[in-house]
Amino acid sequence: MKLKLSDIYSGFQEKYLIIPIDTLPKRGTIFIDSDVQCTISTKIVEDGYEIKGIINTNIEIDCVRCLESKSLSITLPLKIVLSDSNINNNSNNDIIYIKSNVEFIDFNCIVADLIELSKPMNPLCHKNCCGLCYICGINKNYSRCTCKIEKVNLVSDKFKIT
């Protein structure tokens, strides 16, 4: 979705956008819903033009312990400033520099980047996930295996005095 800079400059409040996921650039995110919902507002600020709002969607993540897929509902705050000058960024705002002769900004790239960056680095299906048995591969969340796992203390064995 391209946003006209003239619309941003004139300002609007609580604009509701529906972005189909097939129009978003590929970032590796697996979406559950067919679209991403955004509510955004714009206003003039000292550094340029601020776009502020909320992004909502559902994505799929894979647990790092048991490798099962899980749905994750994401609600992200959006706060960026569009500026056509190189300003000193002493504020907490994310600034996107735009050329003065540009008529549109590609809002889809911003949304796709924010969603991908919001994904957890080590996602878990639940807090107490037991993971997979590293010998037989069974998911220990659902059943127990009979594999005998030796506990070896590599540090004390390496520094054992003989």
Side-chain angles (χ1 to χ4, degrees):
M1 168 171 286
K2 293 187 180 203
L3 292 178
K4 290 173 79 173
L5 287 182
S6 60
D7 290 343
I8 294 170
Y9 297 161
S10 62
F12 53 80
Q13 294 296 315
E14 303 293 320
K15 187 172 189 175
Y16 183 70
L17 306 173
I18 296 176
I19 304 171
I21 60 162
D22 58 348
T23 63
L24 293 174
K26 305 294 184 236
R27 300 284 193 258
T29 305
I30 299 171
F31 291 91
I32 294 173
D33 297 335
S34 60
D35 52 43
V36 174
Q37 296 91 32
C38 302
T39 305
I40 60 173
S41 301
T42 64
K43 69 178 182 178
I44 298 173
V45 292
E46 180 183 339
D47 300 336
Y49 298 91
E50 180 183 72
I51 300 176
K52 191 174 184 179
I54 299 288
I55 300 170
N56 292 308
T57 192
N58 290 307
I59 63 170
E60 184 177 293
I61 58 168
D62 293 329
C63 178
V64 294
R65 289 185 188 161
C66 69
L67 306 178
E68 283 197 2
S69 296
K70 176 189 174 192
S71 172
L72 179 65
S73 179
I74 294 180
T75 300
L76 299 172
L78 169 69
K79 187 174 180 184
I80 57 173
V81 173
L82 301 177
S83 178
D84 60 358
S85 62
N86 251 348
I87 54 175
N88 188 5
N89 186 9
N90 291 331
S91 65
N92 291 336
N93 296 329
D94 291 325
I95 297 178
I96 297 177
Y97 298 103
I98 53 173
K99 295 180 182 176
S100 56
N101 61 349
V102 173
E103 294 182 26
F104 298 92
I105 63 163
D106 189 357
F107 193 62
N108 287 1
C109 286
I110 296 168
V111 169
D113 289 344
L114 289 172
I115 292 170
E116 183 63 24
L117 289 170
S118 73
K119 289 168 50 176
M121 293 188 70
N122 293 311
L124 296 175
C125 59
H126 54 80
K127 188 170 77 171
N128 297 323
C129 177
C130 296
L132 302 174
C133 172
Y134 67 87
I135 296 173
C136 69
I138 197 167
N139 187 336
K140 297 193 288 183
N141 292 317
Y142 301 119
S143 57
R144 297 196 176 268
C145 63
T146 57
C147 299
K148 185 150 184 148
I149 299 172
E150 281 186 40
K151 292 187 178 184
V152 178
N153 188 345
L154 296 176
V155 176
S156 64
D157 289 346
K158 186 173 185 175
F159 296 105
K160 189 182 278 186
I161 299 173
T162 55

